[in-house]
Amino acid sequence: MTSSSDQNVLKLLILGLVFHVVFIASVFDCYFTSPVVHGMLPRRAGLGEAKRVVLIVGKYNFHFRDGLRADLLFAVNAFIDSVPSSPEIIAPYLRDIVQTRGAFGVSHTRVPTESRPGHVAIIGGMYEDVSAVTKGWKTNPVHFDSVFNQSSHTFSFGSPDILPMFAQGATPGKVDAWSYDEEDEDFTKGMKIQNYATALDTWVLDQLRTLFQNASSNAVLDSQLRDDKVVFFLHLLGLDTTGHSYRPHSKEYMNNIQVVDLIVQRTEELFSNFYHDEETSFIFTADHGMSKIGNHGDGDPDNTRTPLITWGRGIRGPLPDSIPSSHDDYSHPWQLVDFLRRDIEQADLAPLMAALLGINYPVNSVGVLPDVDPTRPGYLLPREGGPALARLALANAESILEHYLVKHESKAAQTTRYKAFEPLEKVSHDGKPSRVSWISKIERLIGDGRSFEARQETAELIKVTLQGLRYLETYDRVLIRAIVIVAYLGWAAYSSLSILPPAASSVSANKSALVRIAAAATLAIFWALFAAQRAPWTFYVYVTFPCYFWQQFALRGVPILVQQFKSSDRPGSFTCRALFHLVIVVVVLQCMVAAYTHRSLWSIGFLFMGILWPFALWPSHVRSQKPKLLLLWMGSCLATGIFPLLSVNKVEDLYMIMCGGATILAVGAGYLRLVSNGAAAAGKVSVVQVSFIVLMMAITASSVKSLQAKQGLPIINQTLAWVVLVVSSIYPFISQAQHHTPASRIVSLFLGFGVCFVILSISVEGLFYAAFTCNLLLWIEVEAAVRLNGAGAVSSKQGYEFRTDDIRIALFFLFFVQVAFFGTGNVASISSFYLEPVYRLVPIFNPFLMAALLIFKIIAPYVILSAAFATLNTRLRLPPFSLFIVALTLTDGMTMSFFLSVTDTGSWLEIGQSISFFCITSLLLVWSAGICAAGEYLVSADSRKIK
């Protein structure tokens, strides 16, 4: 790489950034297309057993941790280990319903186990595609039908983060919502006032009571309340606040379950006193659960299992358990084994409510009425018995089949050589599609009074129809996968042109024209195909990139490879060496891929770097001449390698936080000692920065003790913490001190961001930050010793010449990028964000500011890594971005693996992680380029001083 190629490097970086950002969308186009379509004809569930349905959802919030777990509600002595004085039964009223007059089970949610998708499943009967969740929480990214919209009127009470979601897009005037102000979601109140968490829930009960009281003087309201097919939605938030602040096995969380139990009792009494009838159905559930440490978002079983209790009009009473038993190890501690446990999918609640009211099934619903399968008792007990259940099941099947038909007709009209879903479209002996004959058969069975057989056939039809929907939603998946893989391989080939030596001769004009024509023809064919299928505009962009990449590689890369092969004295040896290095790169990258789910592999990587690499691959004279450096490097790798072995589930530990701060101080003090003889200015800077860390340690200790004592966050602590955090973070950039070495700049940055790892740590993050920084500083010295003591060090003035050990350095860089992200597991999954540290700065709910602080903490190690990598470039006397260009070529080995591993079926933990991992690796190039650019800026001024 010479100075004349700077523009080519800039072009490569910009093109790479655009390519990877654009292709992030490919995972959603391939795996998560929106299930919402329009044009379906609604199907009515039936006459309806109840005049009204009361839906009680036992919590919600937009935060990262909250929920209601099934086991904590149902189990006997659920809190005895954590709260010795706890009662045997935490929710006696709900348990009495289960045992005497209701039906119960577990409602299984899907990932992401967040409140918006959970409520969409419960009320809309559909599972939003994952990308829709990122488009809006309080408003609908797309308008979908819901039970609320199909009701005669809905009265909803609760959180301002959920209620507007179902009012927008509904028939005007059909959904009324009463919500408290967002300012009321104040976590400091929850810690200062023991009953604050219950105040939000009792507010809901008070608003319901007021509504009934107002009906006595408002004839219109009274008429609406007494109408048929009315829905009441009570959204209880208190369990969220206690889940955030005290975690699920705390006394506070237990108390809040008891309050919810009491609110359910008071709610039923209000309805009984107002209506004086028995025409109300009640459903109690939760949008998602909560892990043992108070987290949710991923597919942890505790996050996906929520309680479901139904009672009232149209609901069957308790049934004895069946053989085989409906219970397992999860529910045996509940001591309800004498009663049938009936589990459902969360989306099945929407058709259940529709059936109780006798309204239309929501047209976008894919929920299955729990009573469709006649071999498994459900939740309904209609007065007409089996025939009514058969008709309800048939309407459910027709509703889902209508959904299928709209998608089938749309796909058939848009797709060239469309292949229909044979189980539903195969022509029967009567000349009609099998789906039509299937419906006719079910109708005959119902007409003949054979309800059991009709429901069996309906259950099978629904199963096949859902498979048909799945078939249509994944119809284009193979094509998209092929385009994406060819594109990523093309990018690797194209970016490798920047590190390969130029060819002695170019491609002939005829061959060049042929290559260009072939690329243009390929692009034109795909564009014509996409136009015929009315494909999204992104498809046109996706196919453009690989056509360009492979065209350029054919014109410039192929001649280089041919020249290298011919010029080699031993062509076979050349091929073997190239394949050997390729295998090594693939193996290392796949190990990094595996490390995303098996974090101990990062520790094994440190063992390789700290032990195997020095003794197997270092020049012998380096080991003998620099034994101190060898020992320090080994110790640093072993120390940093400890952290990936630690559990990602942490509890707030003030002692470890202070140890982290002390270690950061020790590193700073060690640097002060090194620079004390001749770098006074830098020493003064470090003294100031060390003072910031000491002050922040004192503030953090005070804040943690106050919050743990449930006394709230003192305003003086909050103010001082913000001032120190901001000033310390910008101090390294505004300081006028002269840094005589790039290492002094790195240490200054390390101390500047050290305060972040004091105030925002929950446990050992500060220790990791110190170990990681020392490891990077030693990496610079080690690479310089190994490389510059070897043969052939190239001056940056002479340009860049690729060497095979550059591949190893690039892999080390990618390894450090990953370790900085996953070293302490703080962002290994959606649910591993911890809010306890954020409370020390933001005690009042502010999701964007809270997220910004967490991201700031994530970024801090990368600031150090950026400066270290730029410094390494300088120490090896290479042009800027030289080593990064090598890493650029290797990055997408991981990206392709994660793209092919993305799934939207199976374990919901796997689904959430597969999406996260692909997005992380897709952005790796963007992030790494930013790291290198920032590092070059941070050390450039100091580098010019090095002779």
Side-chain angles (χ1 to χ4, degrees):
M1 186 187 303
T2 63
S3 58
S4 62
S5 65
D6 288 346
Q7 290 185 347
N8 291 333
V9 172
L10 181 61
K11 175 186 174 182
L12 180 68
L13 291 176
I14 294 175
L15 182 59
L17 299 182
V18 173
F19 166 66
H20 284 81
V21 170
V22 167
F23 266 68
I24 288 178
S26 67
V27 72
F28 299 111
D29 283 330
C30 184
Y31 296 98
F32 301 99
T33 54
S34 175
V36 178
V37 293
H38 302 285
M40 288 83 73
L41 296 176
R43 293 290 193 273
R44 184 171 294 278
L47 296 177
E49 296 292 324
K51 296 184 66 174
R52 65 200 69 91
V53 165
V54 180
L55 172 64
I56 305 173
V57 176
K59 70 128 276 330
Y60 155 79
N61 201 354
F62 172 56
H63 308 62
F64 298 105
R65 305 179 193 93
D66 50 276
L68 177 56
R69 284 166 44 171
D71 58 336
L72 295 185
L73 181 73
F74 288 131
V76 175
N77 290 320
F79 292 85
I80 194 66
D81 293 334
S82 55
V83 187
S85 60
S86 64
E88 185 179 52
I89 305 299
I90 302 300
Y93 189 75
L94 287 169
R95 188 177 182 88
D96 179 73
I97 292 172
V98 169
Q99 294 177 319
T100 61
R101 55 195 176 99
F104 85 105
V106 174
S107 172
H108 295 272
T109 72
R110 290 193 180 184
V111 121
T113 44
E114 299 288 350
S115 292
R116 176 191 164 84
H119 282 87
V120 169
I122 293 170
I123 300 167
M126 56 170 268
Y127 300 107
E128 277 190 313
D129 64 294
V130 178
S131 61
V133 179
T134 67
K135 299 174 185 176
W137 287 83
K138 301 180 184 179
T139 58
N140 295 336
V142 290
H143 290 174
F144 54 86
D145 196 14
S146 71
V147 171
F148 291 178
N149 189 50
Q150 294 294 343
S151 68
S152 64
H153 206 94
T154 294
F155 301 90
S156 55
F157 309 85
S159 166
D161 300 310
I162 281 294
L163 300 191
M165 187 167 61
F166 297 96
Q168 179 179 346
T171 303
K174 182 168 283 192
V175 180
D176 289 334
W178 287 264
S179 59
Y180 35 78
D181 295 332
E182 292 183 356
E183 289 75 13
D184 291 333
E185 298 175 22
D186 186 337
F187 285 175
T188 58
K189 291 181 180 177
M191 296 179 184
K192 291 179 180 176
I193 306 172
Q194 290 293 329
N195 65 353
Y196 163 71
T198 66
L200 298 178
D201 293 346
T202 55
W203 182 94
V204 170
L205 185 63
D206 292 341
Q207 295 303 308
L208 177 64
R209 182 182 293 110
T210 301
L211 178 71
F212 286 156
Q213 292 172 350
N214 291 341
S216 61
S217 59
N218 187 329
V220 174
L221 175 60
D222 187 71
S223 176
Q224 291 176 337
L225 289 171
R226 298 185 186 280
D227 198 1
D228 291 345
K229 310 182 191 313
V230 176
V231 175
F232 292 86
F233 175 39
L234 278 62
H235 179 250
L236 307 181
L237 176 64
L239 286 169
D240 162 60
T241 305
T242 47
H244 276 287
S245 305
Y246 306 114
R247 302 195 178 189
H249 284 281
S250 64
K251 177 181 179 181
E252 292 78 10
Y253 191 82
M254 178 194 72
N255 291 339
N256 213 89
I257 293 180
Q258 294 174 314
V259 170
V260 169
D261 185 64
L262 181 62
I263 288 176
V264 172
Q265 180 180 358
R266 296 286 184 263
T267 298
E268 189 171 8
E269 291 172 355
L270 282 177
F271 276 87
S272 178
N273 295 334
F274 181 79
Y275 287 105
H276 301 289
D277 63 20
E278 295 182 356
E279 301 296 326
T280 307
S281 300
F282 294 88
I283 297 177
F284 177 85
T285 187
D287 52 352
H288 57 76
M290 182 193 304
S291 69
K292 295 179 180 179
I293 61 170
N295 294 341
H296 71 87
D298 62 12
D300 186 296
D302 286 331
N303 294 340
T304 62
R305 295 182 293 212
T306 63
L308 173 62
I309 304 174
T310 64
W311 69 101
R313 171 61 71 183
I315 302 294
R316 67 164 174 81
L319 291 178
D321 195 23
S322 57
I323 298 175
S325 175
S326 61
H327 292 271
D328 53 21
D329 292 340
Y330 178 65
S331 59
H332 277 136
W334 304 352
Q335 297 184 18
L336 293 171
V337 292
D338 293 334
F339 302 94
L340 179 70
R341 164 188 160 188
R342 178 64 199 274
D343 290 8
I344 68 170
E345 297 296 320
Q346 193 172 51
D348 299 344
L349 284 169
L352 176 61
M353 288 188 284
L356 287 168
L357 290 172
I359 60 177
N360 294 333
Y361 291 113
V363 296
N364 300 114
S365 171
V366 293
V368 180
L369 192 67
D371 298 80
V372 168
D373 187 350
T375 62
R376 303 175 61 205
Y379 284 85
L380 295 176
L381 186 63
R383 281 167 283 196
E384 297 181 24
L389 289 176
R391 290 192 294 271
L392 287 170
L394 177 58
N396 189 195
E398 290 177 324
S399 178
I400 299 175
L401 190 58
E402 182 73 16
H403 199 173
Y404 162 83
L405 284 174
V406 170
K407 291 191 174 184
H408 161 70
E409 292 170 358
S410 174
K411 184 63 68 176
Q414 297 176 6
T415 305
T416 304
R417 302 186 67 181
Y418 170 66
K419 184 179 180 181
F421 182 64
E422 187 173 352
L424 291 178
E425 300 302 325
K426 183 179 180 180
V427 178
S428 304
H429 63 276
D430 56 2
K432 298 178 181 178
S434 56
R435 52 182 163 80
V436 177
S437 302
W438 211 333
I439 292 291
S440 299
K441 178 182 179 181
I442 295 171
E443 290 174 340
R444 287 196 303 270
L445 289 172
I446 294 175
D448 294 340
R450 299 163 63 184
S451 300
F452 188 91
E453 293 92 332
R455 289 166 63 191
Q456 283 184 315
E457 289 292 331
T458 304
E460 184 64 22
L461 174 58
I462 290 177
K463 177 182 176 182
V464 173
T465 305
L466 291 174
Q467 292 173 352
L469 282 171
R470 172 76 178 169
Y471 172 81
L472 294 173
E473 290 168 358
T474 61
Y475 190 86
D476 296 322
R477 183 166 295 183
V478 174
L479 175 63
I480 301 174
R481 278 178 170 174
I483 293 173
V484 170
I485 295 303
V486 171
Y488 280 122
L489 290 173
W491 165 253
Y494 175 75
S495 59
S496 68
L497 298 176
S498 299
I499 60 175
L500 295 174
S505 60
S506 60
V507 179
S508 66
N510 290 337
K511 291 183 179 180
S512 177
L514 184 62
V515 168
R516 297 180 190 277
I517 291 173
T522 302
L523 186 62
I525 291 171
F526 275 101
W527 279 16
L529 177 64
F530 294 152
Q533 296 183 358
R534 303 177 199 171
W537 66 269
T538 50
F539 284 35
Y540 297 84
V541 179
Y542 295 154
V543 78
T544 302
F545 280 102
C547 288
Y548 174 76
F549 291 153
W550 286 110
Q551 172 195 298
Q552 291 297 307
F553 186 77
L555 293 174
R556 298 160 51 197
V558 172
I560 296 174
L561 295 180
V562 171
Q563 174 183 302
Q564 290 289 318
F565 182 81
K566 290 182 177 179
S567 62
S568 175
D569 296 333
R570 300 171 60 188
S573 176
F574 170 80
T575 303
C576 290
R577 287 198 308 272
L579 290 175
F580 173 76
H581 285 99
L582 178 62
V583 169
I584 293 296
V585 168
V586 170
V587 169
V588 172
L589 291 177
Q590 292 308 304
C591 287
M592 291 188 193
V593 167
Y596 272 56
T597 50
H598 300 83
R599 296 179 64 250
S600 60
L601 289 176
W602 299 121
S603 300
I604 295 176
F606 276 112
L607 283 176
F608 170 84
M609 293 167 58
I611 305 297
L612 182 61
W613 177 48
F615 287 98
L617 299 177
W618 280 20
S620 57
H621 65 275
V622 174
R623 290 196 301 270
S624 60
Q625 294 174 4
K626 298 181 179 292
K628 184 177 180 181
L629 179 61
L630 173 62
L631 291 175
L632 287 173
W633 172 247
M634 292 172 58
S636 174
C637 287
L638 294 176
T640 312
I642 292 173
F643 294 95
L645 297 175
L646 303 179
S647 172
V648 297
N649 297 325
K650 300 178 176 66
V651 295
E652 190 173 50
D653 189 333
L654 181 58
Y655 174 76
M656 296 308 300
I657 295 171
M658 293 298 104
C659 286
T663 304
I664 295 172
L665 286 174
V667 174
Y671 169 69
L672 279 174
R673 182 176 179 181
L674 290 174
V675 302
S676 59
N677 299 322
K684 291 178 181 178
V685 172
S686 297
V687 169
V688 172
Q689 293 180 298
V690 165
S691 301
F692 285 145
I693 295 173
V694 172
L695 180 57
M696 188 61 88
M697 290 174 65
I699 296 170
T700 300
S702 173
S703 297
V704 169
K705 291 178 180 178
S706 179
L707 292 171
Q708 289 181 347
K710 303 168 188 175
Q711 297 175 348
L713 179 66
I715 187 63
I716 184 65
N717 287 31
Q718 183 182 8
T719 303
L720 285 175
W722 273 108
V723 170
V724 175
L725 178 64
V726 172
V727 173
S728 178
S729 299
I730 65 175
Y731 194 85
F733 303 98
I734 62 175
S735 170
Q736 299 300 314
Q738 299 296 315
H739 298 283
H740 291 268
T741 64
S744 66
R745 164 63 76 178
I746 295 173
V747 174
S748 176
L749 292 167
F750 165 74
L751 293 173
F753 287 95
V755 295
C756 167
F757 274 85
V758 175
I759 190 65
L760 291 177
S761 288
I762 190 171
S763 182
V764 299
E765 296 97 308
L767 293 170
F768 167 76
Y769 176 66
F772 182 72
T773 302
C774 291
N775 201 219
L776 290 176
L777 288 169
L778 288 167
W779 182 43
I780 298 170
E781 300 302 321
V782 165
E783 291 288 2
V786 172
R787 177 108 166 199
L788 299 182
N789 277 276
V794 180
S795 170
S796 60
K797 294 181 180 179
Q798 299 173 315
Y800 171 67
E801 180 181 339
F802 174 73
R803 291 174 41 164
T804 54
D805 65 342
D806 292 346
I807 296 177
R808 178 191 51 75
I809 297 175
L811 289 173
F812 277 21
F813 170 68
L814 293 177
F815 178 84
F816 281 120
V817 169
Q818 310 293 337
V819 169
F821 199 74
F822 289 110
T824 58
N826 58 333
V827 287
S829 69
I830 297 173
S831 68
S832 56
F833 289 101
Y834 292 91
L835 291 184
E836 285 96 329
V838 181
Y839 294 158
R840 304 166 199 161
L841 291 165
V842 187
I844 296 177
F845 171 52
N846 187 326
F848 297 105
L849 184 55
M850 289 175 169
L853 288 170
L854 291 169
I855 292 172
F856 179 73
K857 177 184 173 185
I858 294 168
I859 290 175
Y862 287 104
V863 176
I864 311 301
L865 177 58
S866 68
F869 198 55
T871 301
L872 179 60
N873 248 342
T874 302
R875 288 291 300 274
L876 299 183
R877 299 196 286 272
L878 298 174
F881 295 101
S882 299
L883 296 173
F884 174 67
I885 296 300
V886 181
L888 200 67
T889 308
L890 309 178
T891 303
D892 287 328
M894 298 177 64
T895 308
M896 286 186 289
S897 296
F898 283 126
F899 179 81
L900 294 175
S901 300
V902 171
T903 178
D904 59 348
T905 59
S907 163
W908 291 110
L909 176 60
E910 293 173 352
I911 293 173
Q913 284 188 339
S914 67
I915 300 169
S916 301
F917 293 163
F918 170 75
C919 292
I920 289 169
T921 51
S922 295
L923 290 170
L924 188 62
L925 179 138
V926 180
W927 187 244
S928 301
I931 289 174
C932 294
E936 292 293 340
Y937 167 77
L938 291 173
V939 304
S940 58
D942 300 312
S943 299
R944 286 193 295 268
K945 299 173 186 176
I946 301 176
K947 302 298 183 182

